[in-house]
Amino acid sequence: MTFCLTRNYRHTRQKPPGLFRVLCIGDSQTFGAGVFIQEALPARLEPLLNRAAWNKQVEVVNDGVSGYALYDEWHHYILRSHHYEPDLLLIILSENDAELFSSQCGPGGPGPYEEHIRRCWDTHSIHLPHFRRVFQEIRAQLDEKPLPVIVVYYQVYGSPHREQRGAIIRQECEKNGLDFVDLSAEFSQGPAEAYDPKLMVSAADFHPSAAAHQMAAQKLARHIVRGGYLGEVAAPPLPEPEVYRRLLENAEHLRRAGGRPDFILNSLDQLLTVKRTSKNRIKLPAESLMNDREFSVLQQNVRALAGRGDIALSLEGANYALRQNAEMFHRGRNTAAELVNLLSKQLFVLENRLDDPGLWNFAYESGPDSPQPPPRPATSADQFHSWLVRAGAAREALKQGFAADCSKLPGFAAALAHRFEQASTSNLEYLQHGEEMISSWLNLYAYYQSLRVRHETQASQPTLHVAFTALAAELVRLAVLIDKTAGMTHPDIIPRIFSRQTPLEALYCAVKMSSTAPVATTIGVQWQSFVPEFQPMYDVHYLVRDGQPHTYRFCLPLSVAGQLKLVVCPPTEVELAAVECYVDEDRPVCLSNAAQHISNGQLWISFPDFVSLF
């Protein structure tokens, strides 16, 4: 069974009028199995095309699905991907894409998998004749709805049949009037079965490495540009300020279409740098250029907004953590209020007893002798005074408001300012509740202290010593409750959020595990983000099966709360050592105990605790 999960989480279906969209469909080669999404072929292709196309913004969408073959890829396009309204479609094939039905075994080397692939290209099998028919279906569909299409053959690891299979694809493209480019020859200077191990993810995973994707992107970009697909040959170059104005306009359009601001702003920042360093810019006359100061102001404007958006997202994460514990927080708050009221009554009675020894007083029993020192409310008082100082610093940070130069992107500024205000208001409310609890305790403790001083000064009622000792113990127990409840607000976090110099970019997950499985085994990560609410994300690695622990790293969309699901297939002879998730590579947070076995191939890990990541 193949999960229809892609890495296409950054793009909106609605396309701005000024955007040139390239859609990549394919299998795990396109998906980028074994590498981060920013290292896969589509991501590597985008900046190359944007440097070549001065007048246009080019967006490359990675809609590859791991495990798909040509039939699945085209079916996926007809049902779903066509909604992205591409200006150019890239169908990226590898040597296992002739199959019609999967062998249910992975590319772990020679054996059943290689035999299955050999049969897929046999003219007498069920696979190859239908593979050829799919090309006819593509041609028929394009005749109805014309769209520029390039069929790409992308094979990195060596195979004695690579050239033969590439020739079959080329032949079908020629018969059906489809453009074709073979990237495979880039990866072998010798015989077809020769290959460079550095161009593969690992000895256990024959998918292209990041270096291979970069090489493939360069050749593919040259083919696209030389083929005139970007349509810039006859167009006069636009002045530099106009190019940037269009980029800003596209960014606002994508935001209104529902795109995540952090994705759009980070992409915009990179685009500005790509255009600024483009060779096309050098050819412009002096009057069409933007000076360095103006460009710096523009880029700093974008980065300032990205920083404010990062703060807003982090504050929303803090709010989510509080909402997850809201019932516990308010139960503790209400209980503390009742106990403060009860203890204040007891102190009121005790005060009257000091004034009039004849009045009734509560009967306090002396506790059993204990080697432990008596409770000291003064220690709690010192801790609470420190907490109030930190809460004050958090309050001052929140009062800064949405401070950033936002004149270049007013729509973004208004949307982010609204999120910022909502998140700040909610955090302030919880901080106020914490301050109220702690202030009420400190007032109660001050009341207690004043009475104790009177008692010790007068020394007239020795029997009240037991009462003061018992009340001290009650004050300490109440302080523990308040400290636990108010501590949920984590005032230390907010100043750290505001002092962060660079915005967070991604959530990283490192899975350390070993495998002695006899067949190819994959570790998949399914990530569901809660803050921000976001579509599920899937990524996969092939395990090294030597019995030694290896670390597999995943790069996921930035989130501050969510649920992680590890899926091992097949789930036999594997052992999990640790799972770490972090937004700061210097501060990983371990989320799994060592030597833990995955039950039935699955392990669920939730971390709604925002503090664990920051």
Side-chain angles (χ1 to χ4, degrees):
M1 178 180 177
T2 299
F3 291 100
C4 184
L5 293 171
T6 75
R7 281 175 150 179
N8 178 16
Y9 57 79
R10 291 177 174 265
H11 307 285
T12 62
R13 288 194 173 188
Q14 187 178 347
K15 184 182 69 173
L19 190 70
F20 186 93
R21 181 170 280 170
V22 179
L23 177 66
C24 299
I25 61 174
D27 61 4
S28 52
Q29 308 267 87
T30 307
F31 177 91
V35 300
F36 289 166
I37 184 172
Q38 62 268 29
E39 298 172 331
L41 172 60
R44 297 289 196 182
L45 182 62
E46 184 171 286
L48 297 175
L49 296 181
N50 273 295
R51 281 196 175 91
W54 174 252
N55 288 357
K56 287 188 174 70
Q57 177 183 345
V58 181
E59 181 184 78
V60 181
V61 179
N62 184 347
D63 212 32
V65 181
S66 188
Y68 269 13
L70 178 59
Y71 177 89
D72 311 297
E73 292 153 12
W74 185 247
H75 187 69
H76 180 66
Y77 172 75
I78 294 298
L79 288 182
R80 297 173 57 182
S81 300
H82 73 278
H83 292 296
Y84 288 97
E85 302 175 352
D87 299 288
L88 173 63
L89 176 65
L90 303 182
I91 304 174
I92 304 174
L93 304 177
S94 59
E95 72 168 9
N96 61 355
D97 281 356
E99 70 176 2
L100 187 62
F101 298 103
S102 173
S103 67
Q104 296 296 320
C105 55
Y113 175 78
E114 294 294 341
E115 178 59 26
H116 169 71
I117 295 302
R118 188 195 64 77
R119 288 196 301 269
C120 287
W121 293 94
D122 190 329
T123 55
H124 300 293
S125 73
I126 190 176
H127 303 278
L128 185 59
H130 289 87
F131 178 71
R132 296 180 188 273
R133 288 294 185 103
V134 177
F135 283 95
Q136 298 174 22
E137 292 290 331
I138 294 172
R139 179 71 267 166
Q141 183 70 23
L142 294 178
D143 288 340
E144 285 188 29
K145 297 180 179 180
L147 172 68
V149 172
I150 303 176
V151 177
V152 182
Y153 184 48
Y154 183 26
Q155 191 64 44
V156 174
Y157 65 90
S159 165
H161 309 291
R162 186 184 66 201
E163 292 180 358
Q164 174 191 357
R165 293 163 183 171
I168 292 174
I169 298 174
R170 181 188 297 274
Q171 181 185 41
E172 292 305 314
C173 288
E174 291 173 351
K175 284 167 55 178
N176 292 280
L178 301 172
D179 192 9
F180 172 76
V181 58
D182 185 356
L183 304 181
S184 301
E186 292 285 293
F187 303 103
S188 175
Q189 303 302 319
E193 62 270 18
Y195 60 89
D196 184 349
K198 296 179 182 178
L199 299 177
M200 299 187 307
V201 171
S202 70
D205 189 346
F206 291 170
H207 287 95
S209 66
H213 284 304
Q214 181 65 33
M215 291 172 61
Q218 289 170 345
K219 181 171 181 178
L220 184 53
R222 288 194 297 269
H223 183 88
I224 292 171
V225 173
R226 290 170 182 171
Y229 288 99
L230 300 180
E232 293 236 332
V233 177
L238 294 171
E240 187 177 8
E242 176 61 18
V243 170
Y244 299 150
R245 188 195 67 78
R246 293 187 179 192
L247 294 182
L248 298 177
E249 189 176 81
N250 287 342
E252 288 283 13
H253 189 106
L254 291 170
R255 180 193 61 79
R256 291 193 297 270
R260 270 183 56 170
D262 52 335
F263 293 161
I264 300 170
L265 291 171
N266 289 336
S267 177
L268 179 58
D269 185 17
Q270 294 168 16
L271 266 171
L272 290 171
T273 300
V274 166
K275 296 293 187 183
R276 185 72 172 178
T277 56
S278 169
K279 291 181 179 179
N280 290 304
R281 179 180 178 273
I282 301 174
K283 302 174 184 177
L284 294 176
E287 62 271 15
S288 295
L289 296 175
M290 175 182 283
N291 64 48
D292 291 342
R293 188 190 65 80
E294 289 176 321
F295 179 79
S296 177
V297 169
L298 171 61
Q299 194 161 47
Q300 289 303 320
N301 201 272
V302 172
R303 290 174 178 174
L305 271 174
R308 293 291 102 179
D310 174 64
I311 291 175
L313 177 61
S314 299
L315 292 178
E316 287 166 349
N319 288 338
Y320 178 83
L322 287 167
R323 290 197 304 271
Q324 291 296 105
N325 296 310
E327 182 180 354
M328 186 184 305
F329 179 88
H330 289 293
R331 187 190 305 134
R333 176 174 166 245
N334 292 335
T335 302
E338 293 175 2
L339 291 175
V340 166
N341 186 56
L342 178 61
L343 285 175
S344 67
K345 289 180 182 179
Q346 295 184 49
L347 290 172
F348 176 68
V349 170
L350 191 58
E351 180 182 20
N352 291 323
R353 177 65 181 266
L354 286 172
D355 292 336
D356 185 354
L359 287 178
W360 180 88
N361 188 31
F362 290 100
Y364 294 96
E365 296 182 2
S366 58
D369 293 337
S370 171
Q372 300 295 329
R376 297 187 66 253
T379 302
S380 299
D382 293 340
Q383 293 173 348
F384 283 159
H385 282 299
S386 173
W387 191 96
L388 288 176
V389 171
R390 288 179 281 125
R395 183 190 293 277
E396 287 302 312
L398 290 170
K399 285 181 180 178
Q400 291 180 21
F402 193 77
D405 181 4
C406 313
S407 57
K408 303 295 183 183
L409 290 161
F412 271 93
L416 289 175
H418 178 67
R419 285 175 52 194
F420 192 96
E421 182 180 2
Q422 285 188 314
S424 296
T425 300
S426 181
N427 274 281
L428 280 170
E429 182 180 356
Y430 275 97
L431 281 173
Q432 287 168 355
H433 291 322
E435 288 172 329
E436 288 170 2
M437 284 187 286
I438 288 174
S439 296
S440 65
W441 187 94
L442 288 172
N443 290 334
L444 195 67
Y445 174 62
Y447 190 14
Y448 167 85
Q449 280 289 85
S450 66
L451 295 181
R452 182 161 192 135
V453 169
R454 279 186 60 189
H455 165 67
E456 293 173 351
T457 302
Q458 294 174 1
S460 57
Q461 302 185 54
T463 57
L464 294 184
H465 178 73
V466 174
F468 278 105
T469 302
L471 286 171
E474 292 298 325
L475 281 169
V476 170
R477 279 193 284 270
L478 175 58
V480 170
L481 170 64
I482 291 176
D483 181 62
K484 181 179 179 181
T485 305
M488 295 180 192
T489 61
H490 297 287
D492 293 345
I493 295 296
I494 292 173
R496 288 214 299 266
I497 291 172
F498 280 84
S499 64
R500 196 160 50 228
Q501 297 299 312
T502 56
L504 303 172
E505 294 183 356
L507 174 70
Y508 295 93
C509 175
V511 181
K512 188 175 184 180
M513 64 191 315
S514 58
S515 171
T516 55
V519 296
T521 304
T522 60
I523 170 69
V525 167
Q526 295 181 32
W527 167 246
Q528 177 62 62
S529 173
F530 299 150
V531 178
E533 293 184 9
F534 201 51
Q535 68 187 55
M537 163 73 184
Y538 178 74
D539 207 350
V540 64
H541 274 286
Y542 282 86
L543 299 184
V544 178
R545 295 174 285 123
D546 59 2
Q548 300 300 313
H550 296 271
T551 300
Y552 305 91
R553 297 180 70 228
F554 301 89
C555 180
L556 307 169
L558 176 61
S559 306
V560 292
Q563 189 172 62
L564 193 72
K565 180 183 180 183
L566 303 183
V567 183
V568 178
C569 182
T572 56
E573 301 182 54
V574 295
E575 185 169 305
L576 177 67
V579 180
E580 293 179 338
C581 287
Y582 47 93
V583 291
D584 181 349
E585 295 195 60
D586 296 327
R587 296 179 61 248
V589 177
C590 186
L591 299 176
S592 174
N593 295 325
Q596 183 176 137
H597 291 274
I598 296 181
S599 175
N600 298 320
Q602 297 186 3
L603 173 67
W604 288 91
I605 300 173
S606 297
F607 49 99
D609 182 6
F610 163 85
V611 180
S612 67
L613 291 178
F614 291 87

